[in-house]
Amino acid sequence: MTRQPPPDEAAWLASYDPGRFPPFAVTVDMVLLTVRHGTFSVLLVERDTHPFRGDLALPGGFVLPDEDLDAAAVRRLERETGVRRDAAHVEQLGAFGAPDRDPRMRVVSVAYLVFAPDLEAPSPGEGTRSVSWFAVDEVDGVSLAFDHGQVLAAGVERARAKLEYTPLAAAFVGPEFTVGELRRVYEAVWGHPLDPRNFHRKVTGTPDFLVPVGHPAPVGPGGGRPAALFRRGPATALRPAMLRPS
Amino acid sequence: MTRQPPPDEAAWLASYDPGRFPPFAVTVDMVLLTVRHGTFSVLLVERDTHPFRGDLALPGGFVLPDEDLDAAAVRRLERETGVRRDAAHVEQLGAFGAPDRDPRMRVVSVAYLVFAPDLEAPSPGEGTRSVSWFAVDEVDGVSLAFDHGQVLAAGVERARAKLEYTPLAAAFVGPEFTVGELRRVYEAVWGHPLDPRNFHRKVTGTPDFLVPVGHPAPVGPGGGRPAALFRRGPATALRPAMLRPS
DNA sequence: CGAATAGTGTCTCTCAGACAATATTGC
DNA sequence: GCAATATTGTCTGAGAGACACTATTCG
């Protein structure tokens, strides 16, 4: 039983030369999220070259011919932002490949989602004028280069959902943290205040989420009882989930 | 998202050489899942050409130069399996692009996950010897072409997780179905028996999950009380989730 | 002491797991 | 009637939201 190729595909196949293939380029783009000063923020660059010169964009770039996708993402992360791989959570967000997303040529972008602790201001890479943090809420509505608005929206929604059923909020803080710091991460990402007492019960009651470190944290500027310090435990999921307030 | 380039950019584009960027081929691969005869199953093809000739593989193929990724996936779905887009659930699973995943050239594959009702045996496309359903459990451990073993595993795990917190199990059955049919989908995908009474309470108690159709279903071969028929409701999530039995 | 933050305890309601009992069919 | 499936109901324990109360620090 042989299938009859449709005209468009047949035409393409007829002109297909095994030594060549359709001119696709592959890039990685990063949705690098953090919580700084209590604000859920994303790292954006200002483009210094065409196309979209002067517009804000997600950091990213072309994948090298022999480079793994994940490796390309981590390389850009370390080079352009100074975040080390093991200090952050990195996962693939998905592929974005509308035919007209880049006016230069056909480009498929593989987007990565990164959760990082608060960082010093990173330094610009090539082709970018500046690189800095923006509050996620402020960027909402601003038009970004390429389809980066869509990519960012997908990353933000995924981040919000992941806090519900994974312990990944800990990727937004340092290696040692208090329950209050963790709660402020949830509040910033979700944009909702949470009850400190119920939150404390949930996170300390979930097995393997938090491992006590033994000594207390230094007291903050406003006074108050010193909080216990924790490290991330080996838990990989929150079951049942901690649902976002409606 | 069409954009008018400024004059200077247009000039720059005219002199632009696409060959400066590393060349990639882009394919789509489909993890097409269904439940047939009570068994969670995946559609696989036997390859008839190099590389991996004779091995089992996920159906898929090259993305055309001007084709959207989703469109490429849906096109292959309809052509090679006869599933119509609106009869199934289609979502992107992710990109797979290890440098050595295809011995011929550098290929990035964008995998799609499809939930479909039970279908007649589809017909093979070009480059494939045969196409048929395999029980997911039987394929586990069999070595598939390329990195399709990994892709399949990711799709299966995503499917199992999605049943927990979405109403997508309904994509595995026809437009009208009974609570028992829906329960058997869950049982097949999760590989665990569920309590019919508790299941009934959960799905009928979740607002907008099921819409009663009014008339009952015909009685099955073994007799038994006729079940009420339902259609999928507008709900998009199950909150709280229906967790898999540990 | 008062303000601020951390942490414990209590009450109530929702919901999931276990399972009894009833309803409606084919044979 | 009996076997099979559907559906309703009941009991119980885990867990989440609301919130009182205690603990420990700074100024």
Side-chain angles (χ1 to χ4, degrees), chain A residues 28-32 69-75 77-78 81 83-93 111-116 158 162 168 171 232:
Chain A
V28 290
D29 287 314
M30 309 227 297
V31 180
L32 174 49
L69 298 178
D70 290 7
V74 170
R75 175 172 62 87
L77 181 69
E78 295 183 337
T81 70
V83 185
R84 261 183 293 169
R85 176 201 207 105
D86 52 339
H89 167 76
V90 181
E91 68 178 51
Q92 194 193 106
L93 180 58
Y112 279 80
L113 183 59
V114 181
F115 299 167
R158 177 110 131 223
K162 281 239 156 184
L168 286 177
R232 260 200 73 172

PDB file of all heavy atoms in Angstrom, chain A residues 28-32 69-75 77-78 81 83-93 111-116 158 162 168 171 232:
ATOM      1  N   VAL A  28      18.388  28.764  20.796  1.00  0.00           N
ATOM      2  CA  VAL A  28      17.810  28.607  22.128  1.00  0.00           C
ATOM      3  C   VAL A  28      17.482  29.994  22.663  1.00  0.00           C
ATOM      4  O   VAL A  28      18.221  30.942  22.439  1.00  0.00           O
ATOM      5  CB  VAL A  28      18.760  27.881  23.119  1.00  0.00           C
ATOM      6  CG1 VAL A  28      18.896  26.417  22.752  1.00  0.00           C
ATOM      7  CG2 VAL A  28      20.118  28.548  23.170  1.00  0.00           C
ATOM      8  N   ASP A  29      16.363  30.102  23.334  1.00  0.00           N
ATOM      9  CA  ASP A  29      15.990  31.343  23.996  1.00  0.00           C
ATOM     10  C   ASP A  29      15.691  31.004  25.444  1.00  0.00           C
ATOM     11  O   ASP A  29      15.136  29.950  25.740  1.00  0.00           O
ATOM     12  CB  ASP A  29      14.748  31.970  23.335  1.00  0.00           C
ATOM     13  CG  ASP A  29      15.078  32.575  21.980  1.00  0.00           C
ATOM     14  OD1 ASP A  29      16.092  33.291  21.898  1.00  0.00           O
ATOM     15  OD2 ASP A  29      14.336  32.319  21.019  1.00  0.00           O
ATOM     16  N   MET A  30      16.054  31.899  26.340  1.00  0.00           N
ATOM     17  CA  MET A  30      15.908  31.579  27.744  1.00  0.00           C
ATOM     18  C   MET A  30      14.939  32.499  28.445  1.00  0.00           C
ATOM     19  O   MET A  30      15.070  33.722  28.367  1.00  0.00           O
ATOM     20  CB  MET A  30      17.245  31.726  28.394  1.00  0.00           C
ATOM     21  CG  MET A  30      18.197  30.925  27.552  1.00  0.00           C
ATOM     22  SD  MET A  30      19.197  29.933  28.388  1.00  0.00           S
ATOM     23  CE  MET A  30      19.974  31.246  29.231  1.00  0.00           C
ATOM     24  N   VAL A  31      14.018  31.896  29.145  1.00  0.00           N
ATOM     25  CA  VAL A  31      13.142  32.641  30.044  1.00  0.00           C
ATOM     26  C   VAL A  31      13.757  32.472  31.425  1.00  0.00           C
ATOM     27  O   VAL A  31      13.545  31.466  32.095  1.00  0.00           O
ATOM     28  CB  VAL A  31      11.705  32.109  30.008  1.00  0.00           C
ATOM     29  CG1 VAL A  31      10.818  32.907  30.945  1.00  0.00           C
ATOM     30  CG2 VAL A  31      11.151  32.144  28.585  1.00  0.00           C
ATOM     31  N   LEU A  32      14.580  33.453  31.796  1.00  0.00           N
ATOM     32  CA  LEU A  32      15.308  33.381  33.061  1.00  0.00           C
ATOM     33  C   LEU A  32      14.547  34.183  34.093  1.00  0.00           C
ATOM     34  O   LEU A  32      14.456  35.400  34.001  1.00  0.00           O
ATOM     35  CB  LEU A  32      16.728  33.941  32.858  1.00  0.00           C
ATOM     36  CG  LEU A  32      17.615  34.102  34.073  1.00  0.00           C
ATOM     37  CD1 LEU A  32      17.631  32.847  34.925  1.00  0.00           C
ATOM     38  CD2 LEU A  32      19.018  34.456  33.642  1.00  0.00           C
ATOM     39  N   LEU A  69      21.206  20.605  22.618  1.00  0.00           N
ATOM     40  CA  LEU A  69      20.308  21.726  22.911  1.00  0.00           C
ATOM     41  C   LEU A  69      20.467  22.205  24.350  1.00  0.00           C
ATOM     42  O   LEU A  69      20.613  23.404  24.611  1.00  0.00           O
ATOM     43  CB  LEU A  69      18.854  21.314  22.657  1.00  0.00           C
ATOM     44  CG  LEU A  69      18.485  20.921  21.223  1.00  0.00           C
ATOM     45  CD1 LEU A  69      17.025  20.488  21.160  1.00  0.00           C
ATOM     46  CD2 LEU A  69      18.752  22.063  20.264  1.00  0.00           C
ATOM     47  N   ASP A  70      20.438  21.259  25.281  1.00  0.00           N
ATOM     48  CA  ASP A  70      20.595  21.627  26.689  1.00  0.00           C
ATOM     49  C   ASP A  70      21.929  22.323  26.924  1.00  0.00           C
ATOM     50  O   ASP A  70      22.019  23.305  27.672  1.00  0.00           O
ATOM     51  CB  ASP A  70      20.513  20.385  27.582  1.00  0.00           C
ATOM     52  CG  ASP A  70      19.106  19.799  27.623  1.00  0.00           C
ATOM     53  OD1 ASP A  70      18.244  20.269  26.853  1.00  0.00           O
ATOM     54  OD2 ASP A  70      18.874  18.873  28.417  1.00  0.00           O
ATOM     55  N   ALA A  71      22.969  21.797  26.265  1.00  0.00           N
ATOM     56  CA  ALA A  71      24.298  22.389  26.441  1.00  0.00           C
ATOM     57  C   ALA A  71      24.334  23.816  25.911  1.00  0.00           C
ATOM     58  O   ALA A  71      24.955  24.701  26.510  1.00  0.00           O
ATOM     59  CB  ALA A  71      25.358  21.537  25.734  1.00  0.00           C
ATOM     60  N   ALA A  72      23.651  24.044  24.798  1.00  0.00           N
ATOM     61  CA  ALA A  72      23.602  25.396  24.239  1.00  0.00           C
ATOM     62  C   ALA A  72      22.924  26.345  25.222  1.00  0.00           C
ATOM     63  O   ALA A  72      23.375  27.475  25.440  1.00  0.00           O
ATOM     64  CB  ALA A  72      22.847  25.392  22.911  1.00  0.00           C
ATOM     65  N   ALA A  73      21.848  25.877  25.834  1.00  0.00           N
ATOM     66  CA  ALA A  73      21.132  26.714  26.796  1.00  0.00           C
ATOM     67  C   ALA A  73      22.015  27.024  28.008  1.00  0.00           C
ATOM     68  O   ALA A  73      22.115  28.173  28.440  1.00  0.00           O
ATOM     69  CB  ALA A  73      19.845  26.027  27.241  1.00  0.00           C
ATOM     70  N   VAL A  74      22.673  26.005  28.520  1.00  0.00           N
ATOM     71  CA  VAL A  74      23.513  26.209  29.698  1.00  0.00           C
ATOM     72  C   VAL A  74      24.711  27.106  29.369  1.00  0.00           C
ATOM     73  O   VAL A  74      25.101  27.958  30.161  1.00  0.00           O
ATOM     74  CB  VAL A  74      23.975  24.843  30.258  1.00  0.00           C
ATOM     75  CG1 VAL A  74      25.043  25.045  31.315  1.00  0.00           C
ATOM     76  CG2 VAL A  74      22.783  24.083  30.828  1.00  0.00           C
ATOM     77  N   ARG A  75      25.263  26.932  28.189  1.00  0.00           N
ATOM     78  CA  ARG A  75      26.396  27.768  27.785  1.00  0.00           C
ATOM     79  C   ARG A  75      25.984  29.238  27.777  1.00  0.00           C
ATOM     80  O   ARG A  75      26.668  30.091  28.323  1.00  0.00           O
ATOM     81  CB  ARG A  75      26.860  27.348  26.391  1.00  0.00           C
ATOM     82  CG  ARG A  75      27.955  28.211  25.809  1.00  0.00           C
ATOM     83  CD  ARG A  75      28.503  27.618  24.514  1.00  0.00           C
ATOM     84  NE  ARG A  75      27.494  27.514  23.461  1.00  0.00           N
ATOM     85  CZ  ARG A  75      27.201  28.488  22.606  1.00  0.00           C
ATOM     86  NH1 ARG A  75      27.813  29.670  22.696  1.00  0.00           N
ATOM     87  NH2 ARG A  75      26.298  28.309  21.670  1.00  0.00           N
ATOM     88  N   LEU A  77      23.515  30.593  29.308  1.00  0.00           N
ATOM     89  CA  LEU A  77      23.182  30.982  30.672  1.00  0.00           C
ATOM     90  C   LEU A  77      24.439  31.396  31.419  1.00  0.00           C
ATOM     91  O   LEU A  77      24.498  32.464  32.040  1.00  0.00           O
ATOM     92  CB  LEU A  77      22.523  29.789  31.372  1.00  0.00           C
ATOM     93  CG  LEU A  77      22.067  29.974  32.800  1.00  0.00           C
ATOM     94  CD1 LEU A  77      20.896  30.932  32.847  1.00  0.00           C
ATOM     95  CD2 LEU A  77      21.684  28.638  33.421  1.00  0.00           C
ATOM     96  N   GLU A  78      25.456  30.562  31.338  1.00  0.00           N
ATOM     97  CA  GLU A  78      26.669  30.848  32.101  1.00  0.00           C
ATOM     98  C   GLU A  78      27.417  32.043  31.507  1.00  0.00           C
ATOM     99  O   GLU A  78      27.931  32.889  32.234  1.00  0.00           O
ATOM    100  CB  GLU A  78      27.567  29.610  32.130  1.00  0.00           C
ATOM    101  CG  GLU A  78      26.910  28.459  32.899  1.00  0.00           C
ATOM    102  CD  GLU A  78      27.809  27.236  33.020  1.00  0.00           C
ATOM    103  OE1 GLU A  78      28.719  27.077  32.185  1.00  0.00           O
ATOM    104  OE2 GLU A  78      27.580  26.437  33.963  1.00  0.00           O
ATOM    105  N   THR A  81      24.891  35.463  31.602  1.00  0.00           N
ATOM    106  CA  THR A  81      24.258  35.912  32.836  1.00  0.00           C
ATOM    107  C   THR A  81      25.064  35.563  34.078  1.00  0.00           C
ATOM    108  O   THR A  81      24.762  36.042  35.156  1.00  0.00           O
ATOM    109  CB  THR A  81      22.860  35.279  32.995  1.00  0.00           C
ATOM    110  OG1 THR A  81      23.026  33.885  33.267  1.00  0.00           O
ATOM    111  CG2 THR A  81      22.046  35.446  31.734  1.00  0.00           C
ATOM    112  N   VAL A  83      25.068  32.884  35.690  1.00  0.00           N
ATOM    113  CA  VAL A  83      24.414  31.889  36.533  1.00  0.00           C
ATOM    114  C   VAL A  83      25.109  30.546  36.312  1.00  0.00           C
ATOM    115  O   VAL A  83      25.284  30.124  35.166  1.00  0.00           O
ATOM    116  CB  VAL A  83      22.931  31.711  36.141  1.00  0.00           C
ATOM    117  CG1 VAL A  83      22.247  30.762  37.109  1.00  0.00           C
ATOM    118  CG2 VAL A  83      22.234  33.048  36.104  1.00  0.00           C
ATOM    119  N   ARG A  84      25.493  29.867  37.395  1.00  0.00           N
ATOM    120  CA  ARG A  84      26.068  28.550  37.195  1.00  0.00           C
ATOM    121  C   ARG A  84      24.980  27.497  37.172  1.00  0.00           C
ATOM    122  O   ARG A  84      23.984  27.600  37.882  1.00  0.00           O
ATOM    123  CB  ARG A  84      27.115  28.236  38.262  1.00  0.00           C
ATOM    124  CG  ARG A  84      28.517  28.497  37.711  1.00  0.00           C
ATOM    125  CD  ARG A  84      29.565  28.130  38.732  1.00  0.00           C
ATOM    126  NE  ARG A  84      29.495  29.033  39.883  1.00  0.00           N
ATOM    127  CZ  ARG A  84      30.160  28.794  41.004  1.00  0.00           C
ATOM    128  NH1 ARG A  84      30.892  27.703  41.142  1.00  0.00           N
ATOM    129  NH2 ARG A  84      30.082  29.655  42.005  1.00  0.00           N
ATOM    130  N   ARG A  85      25.177  26.477  36.351  1.00  0.00           N
ATOM    131  CA  ARG A  85      24.171  25.458  36.102  1.00  0.00           C
ATOM    132  C   ARG A  85      23.605  24.863  37.384  1.00  0.00           C
ATOM    133  O   ARG A  85      22.404  24.662  37.519  1.00  0.00           O
ATOM    134  CB  ARG A  85      24.817  24.346  35.275  1.00  0.00           C
ATOM    135  CG  ARG A  85      23.880  23.209  35.046  1.00  0.00           C
ATOM    136  CD  ARG A  85      24.585  21.928  34.689  1.00  0.00           C
ATOM    137  NE  ARG A  85      23.670  21.121  33.892  1.00  0.00           N
ATOM    138  CZ  ARG A  85      23.787  20.971  32.590  1.00  0.00           C
ATOM    139  NH1 ARG A  85      24.775  21.521  31.949  1.00  0.00           N
ATOM    140  NH2 ARG A  85      22.909  20.244  31.952  1.00  0.00           N
ATOM    141  N   ASP A  86      24.481  24.579  38.340  1.00  0.00           N
ATOM    142  CA  ASP A  86      24.008  23.880  39.533  1.00  0.00           C
ATOM    143  C   ASP A  86      23.388  24.829  40.551  1.00  0.00           C
ATOM    144  O   ASP A  86      22.832  24.382  41.542  1.00  0.00           O
ATOM    145  CB  ASP A  86      25.153  23.078  40.147  1.00  0.00           C
ATOM    146  CG  ASP A  86      26.377  23.938  40.373  1.00  0.00           C
ATOM    147  OD1 ASP A  86      26.478  24.997  39.716  1.00  0.00           O
ATOM    148  OD2 ASP A  86      27.222  23.588  41.198  1.00  0.00           O
ATOM    149  N   ALA A  87      23.469  26.130  40.288  1.00  0.00           N
ATOM    150  CA  ALA A  87      22.824  27.071  41.201  1.00  0.00           C
ATOM    151  C   ALA A  87      21.391  27.354  40.782  1.00  0.00           C
ATOM    152  O   ALA A  87      20.674  28.073  41.465  1.00  0.00           O
ATOM    153  CB  ALA A  87      23.614  28.381  41.245  1.00  0.00           C
ATOM    154  N   ALA A  88      20.980  26.816  39.656  1.00  0.00           N
ATOM    155  CA  ALA A  88      19.661  27.152  39.129  1.00  0.00           C
ATOM    156  C   ALA A  88      18.951  25.903  38.641  1.00  0.00           C
ATOM    157  O   ALA A  88      19.554  24.844  38.496  1.00  0.00           O
ATOM    158  CB  ALA A  88      19.794  28.164  37.989  1.00  0.00           C
ATOM    159  N   HIS A  89      17.666  26.047  38.408  1.00  0.00           N
ATOM    160  CA  HIS A  89      16.900  24.963  37.781  1.00  0.00           C
ATOM    161  C   HIS A  89      16.705  25.300  36.310  1.00  0.00           C
ATOM    162  O   HIS A  89      16.264  26.397  35.973  1.00  0.00           O
ATOM    163  CB  HIS A  89      15.546  24.815  38.464  1.00  0.00           C
ATOM    164  CG  HIS A  89      14.585  23.955  37.701  1.00  0.00           C
ATOM    165  ND1 HIS A  89      14.681  22.587  37.682  1.00  0.00           N
ATOM    166  CD2 HIS A  89      13.543  24.279  36.900  1.00  0.00           C
ATOM    167  CE1 HIS A  89      13.711  22.098  36.914  1.00  0.00           C
ATOM    168  NE2 HIS A  89      13.002  23.101  36.426  1.00  0.00           N
ATOM    169  N   VAL A  90      17.059  24.363  35.437  1.00  0.00           N
ATOM    170  CA  VAL A  90      16.928  24.566  33.988  1.00  0.00           C
ATOM    171  C   VAL A  90      16.066  23.456  33.417  1.00  0.00           C
ATOM    172  O   VAL A  90      16.336  22.274  33.652  1.00  0.00           O
ATOM    173  CB  VAL A  90      18.305  24.548  33.292  1.00  0.00           C
ATOM    174  CG1 VAL A  90      18.148  24.782  31.794  1.00  0.00           C
ATOM    175  CG2 VAL A  90      19.238  25.579  33.903  1.00  0.00           C
ATOM    176  N   GLU A  91      15.028  23.818  32.672  1.00  0.00           N
ATOM    177  CA  GLU A  91      14.244  22.807  31.985  1.00  0.00           C
ATOM    178  C   GLU A  91      13.791  23.346  30.642  1.00  0.00           C
ATOM    179  O   GLU A  91      13.686  24.554  30.447  1.00  0.00           O
ATOM    180  CB  GLU A  91      13.024  22.381  32.822  1.00  0.00           C
ATOM    181  CG  GLU A  91      11.963  23.459  32.969  1.00  0.00           C
ATOM    182  CD  GLU A  91      10.742  22.961  33.761  1.00  0.00           C
ATOM    183  OE1 GLU A  91      10.939  22.406  34.855  1.00  0.00           O
ATOM    184  OE2 GLU A  91       9.610  23.148  33.279  1.00  0.00           O
ATOM    185  N   GLN A  92      13.533  22.431  29.729  1.00  0.00           N
ATOM    186  CA  GLN A  92      13.072  22.885  28.422  1.00  0.00           C
ATOM    187  C   GLN A  92      11.621  23.314  28.504  1.00  0.00           C
ATOM    188  O   GLN A  92      10.807  22.661  29.149  1.00  0.00           O
ATOM    189  CB  GLN A  92      13.218  21.758  27.392  1.00  0.00           C
ATOM    190  CG  GLN A  92      13.077  22.271  25.966  1.00  0.00           C
ATOM    191  CD  GLN A  92      12.913  21.152  24.952  1.00  0.00           C
ATOM    192  OE1 GLN A  92      11.824  20.927  24.433  1.00  0.00           O
ATOM    193  NE2 GLN A  92      14.003  20.455  24.691  1.00  0.00           N
ATOM    194  N   LEU A  93      11.307  24.416  27.845  1.00  0.00           N
ATOM    195  CA  LEU A  93       9.944  24.926  27.840  1.00  0.00           C
ATOM    196  C   LEU A  93       9.189  24.447  26.606  1.00  0.00           C
ATOM    197  O   LEU A  93       8.004  24.134  26.676  1.00  0.00           O
ATOM    198  CB  LEU A  93       9.995  26.451  27.875  1.00  0.00           C
ATOM    199  CG  LEU A  93       8.670  27.221  27.881  1.00  0.00           C
ATOM    200  CD1 LEU A  93       7.807  26.811  29.059  1.00  0.00           C
ATOM    201  CD2 LEU A  93       8.951  28.716  27.929  1.00  0.00           C
ATOM    202  N   ALA A 111      12.950  26.946  23.523  1.00  0.00           N
ATOM    203  CA  ALA A 111      12.960  27.824  24.688  1.00  0.00           C
ATOM    204  C   ALA A 111      13.280  27.029  25.951  1.00  0.00           C
ATOM    205  O   ALA A 111      12.841  25.886  26.106  1.00  0.00           O
ATOM    206  CB  ALA A 111      11.614  28.508  24.838  1.00  0.00           C
ATOM    207  N   TYR A 112      14.038  27.653  26.837  1.00  0.00           N
ATOM    208  CA  TYR A 112      14.371  27.053  28.120  1.00  0.00           C
ATOM    209  C   TYR A 112      13.864  27.943  29.238  1.00  0.00           C
ATOM    210  O   TYR A 112      13.844  29.170  29.119  1.00  0.00           O
ATOM    211  CB  TYR A 112      15.880  26.830  28.244  1.00  0.00           C
ATOM    212  CG  TYR A 112      16.309  25.578  27.527  1.00  0.00           C
ATOM    213  CD1 TYR A 112      16.479  25.568  26.155  1.00  0.00           C
ATOM    214  CD2 TYR A 112      16.472  24.377  28.223  1.00  0.00           C
ATOM    215  CE1 TYR A 112      16.825  24.411  25.479  1.00  0.00           C
ATOM    216  CE2 TYR A 112      16.819  23.213  27.558  1.00  0.00           C
ATOM    217  CZ  TYR A 112      17.000  23.234  26.192  1.00  0.00           C
ATOM    218  OH  TYR A 112      17.314  22.084  25.529  1.00  0.00           O
ATOM    219  N   LEU A 113      13.455  27.288  30.302  1.00  0.00           N
ATOM    220  CA  LEU A 113      12.940  27.990  31.467  1.00  0.00           C
ATOM    221  C   LEU A 113      13.964  27.810  32.587  1.00  0.00           C
ATOM    222  O   LEU A 113      14.387  26.692  32.869  1.00  0.00           O
ATOM    223  CB  LEU A 113      11.598  27.370  31.867  1.00  0.00           C
ATOM    224  CG  LEU A 113      10.827  27.988  33.015  1.00  0.00           C
ATOM    225  CD1 LEU A 113      10.499  29.440  32.735  1.00  0.00           C
ATOM    226  CD2 LEU A 113       9.550  27.198  33.258  1.00  0.00           C
ATOM    227  N   VAL A 114      14.384  28.929  33.177  1.00  0.00           N
ATOM    228  CA  VAL A 114      15.393  28.876  34.233  1.00  0.00           C
ATOM    229  C   VAL A 114      14.867  29.579  35.475  1.00  0.00           C
ATOM    230  O   VAL A 114      14.356  30.695  35.388  1.00  0.00           O
ATOM    231  CB  VAL A 114      16.709  29.546  33.781  1.00  0.00           C
ATOM    232  CG1 VAL A 114      17.761  29.467  34.872  1.00  0.00           C
ATOM    233  CG2 VAL A 114      17.211  28.927  32.490  1.00  0.00           C
ATOM    234  N   PHE A 115      14.968  28.899  36.620  1.00  0.00           N
ATOM    235  CA  PHE A 115      14.658  29.521  37.904  1.00  0.00           C
ATOM    236  C   PHE A 115      15.992  29.770  38.596  1.00  0.00           C
ATOM    237  O   PHE A 115      16.739  28.812  38.835  1.00  0.00           O
ATOM    238  CB  PHE A 115      13.837  28.592  38.800  1.00  0.00           C
ATOM    239  CG  PHE A 115      12.493  28.199  38.235  1.00  0.00           C
ATOM    240  CD1 PHE A 115      11.782  27.153  38.810  1.00  0.00           C
ATOM    241  CD2 PHE A 115      11.920  28.868  37.166  1.00  0.00           C
ATOM    242  CE1 PHE A 115      10.539  26.782  38.319  1.00  0.00           C
ATOM    243  CE2 PHE A 115      10.674  28.501  36.671  1.00  0.00           C
ATOM    244  CZ  PHE A 115       9.985  27.448  37.254  1.00  0.00           C
ATOM    245  N   ALA A 116      16.285  31.018  38.923  1.00  0.00           N
ATOM    246  CA  ALA A 116      17.572  31.327  39.545  1.00  0.00           C
ATOM    247  C   ALA A 116      17.369  32.187  40.778  1.00  0.00           C
ATOM    248  O   ALA A 116      16.398  32.941  40.862  1.00  0.00           O
ATOM    249  CB  ALA A 116      18.479  32.054  38.550  1.00  0.00           C
ATOM    250  N   ARG A 158       4.027  28.375  33.173  1.00  0.00           N
ATOM    251  CA  ARG A 158       4.617  27.111  33.610  1.00  0.00           C
ATOM    252  C   ARG A 158       5.248  27.261  34.989  1.00  0.00           C
ATOM    253  O   ARG A 158       5.120  26.375  35.838  1.00  0.00           O
ATOM    254  CB  ARG A 158       5.683  26.664  32.608  1.00  0.00           C
ATOM    255  CG  ARG A 158       6.389  25.404  33.027  1.00  0.00           C
ATOM    256  CD  ARG A 158       5.987  24.268  32.127  1.00  0.00           C
ATOM    257  NE  ARG A 158       7.160  23.568  31.655  1.00  0.00           N
ATOM    258  CZ  ARG A 158       7.356  23.153  30.414  1.00  0.00           C
ATOM    259  NH1 ARG A 158       6.453  23.394  29.495  1.00  0.00           N
ATOM    260  NH2 ARG A 158       8.420  22.496  30.077  1.00  0.00           N
ATOM    261  N   LYS A 162       4.264  25.142  38.221  1.00  0.00           N
ATOM    262  CA  LYS A 162       5.241  24.238  38.822  1.00  0.00           C
ATOM    263  C   LYS A 162       5.371  24.429  40.324  1.00  0.00           C
ATOM    264  O   LYS A 162       5.673  23.485  41.059  1.00  0.00           O
ATOM    265  CB  LYS A 162       6.602  24.437  38.149  1.00  0.00           C
ATOM    266  CG  LYS A 162       6.696  23.738  36.797  1.00  0.00           C
ATOM    267  CD  LYS A 162       7.829  22.734  36.771  1.00  0.00           C
ATOM    268  CE  LYS A 162       7.576  21.670  35.718  1.00  0.00           C
ATOM    269  NZ  LYS A 162       8.618  20.627  35.730  1.00  0.00           N
ATOM    270  N   LEU A 168      10.167  23.280  43.484  1.00  0.00           N
ATOM    271  CA  LEU A 168      11.122  24.102  42.734  1.00  0.00           C
ATOM    272  C   LEU A 168      11.198  25.549  43.193  1.00  0.00           C
ATOM    273  O   LEU A 168      12.098  26.275  42.763  1.00  0.00           O
ATOM    274  CB  LEU A 168      10.799  24.049  41.242  1.00  0.00           C
ATOM    275  CG  LEU A 168      11.183  22.737  40.568  1.00  0.00           C
ATOM    276  CD1 LEU A 168      10.756  22.728  39.110  1.00  0.00           C
ATOM    277  CD2 LEU A 168      12.691  22.522  40.669  1.00  0.00           C
ATOM    278  N   ALA A 171      14.508  26.775  44.124  1.00  0.00           N
ATOM    279  CA  ALA A 171      15.520  27.186  43.140  1.00  0.00           C
ATOM    280  C   ALA A 171      15.622  28.709  43.051  1.00  0.00           C
ATOM    281  O   ALA A 171      16.578  29.232  42.486  1.00  0.00           O
ATOM    282  CB  ALA A 171      15.196  26.603  41.762  1.00  0.00           C
ATOM    283  N   ARG A 232      17.183  22.442  50.600  1.00  0.00           N
ATOM    284  CA  ARG A 232      16.244  21.646  49.798  1.00  0.00           C
ATOM    285  C   ARG A 232      16.411  20.186  50.107  1.00  0.00           C
ATOM    286  O   ARG A 232      17.535  19.679  50.143  1.00  0.00           O
ATOM    287  CB  ARG A 232      16.556  21.813  48.305  1.00  0.00           C
ATOM    288  CG  ARG A 232      15.680  22.771  47.606  1.00  0.00           C
ATOM    289  CD  ARG A 232      15.718  22.516  46.101  1.00  0.00           C
ATOM    290  NE  ARG A 232      15.004  21.321  45.708  1.00  0.00           N
ATOM    291  CZ  ARG A 232      14.767  20.994  44.433  1.00  0.00           C
ATOM    292  NH1 ARG A 232      15.212  21.761  43.476  1.00  0.00           N
ATOM    293  NH2 ARG A 232      14.101  19.890  44.136  1.00  0.00           N
TER     294      ARG A 232
END
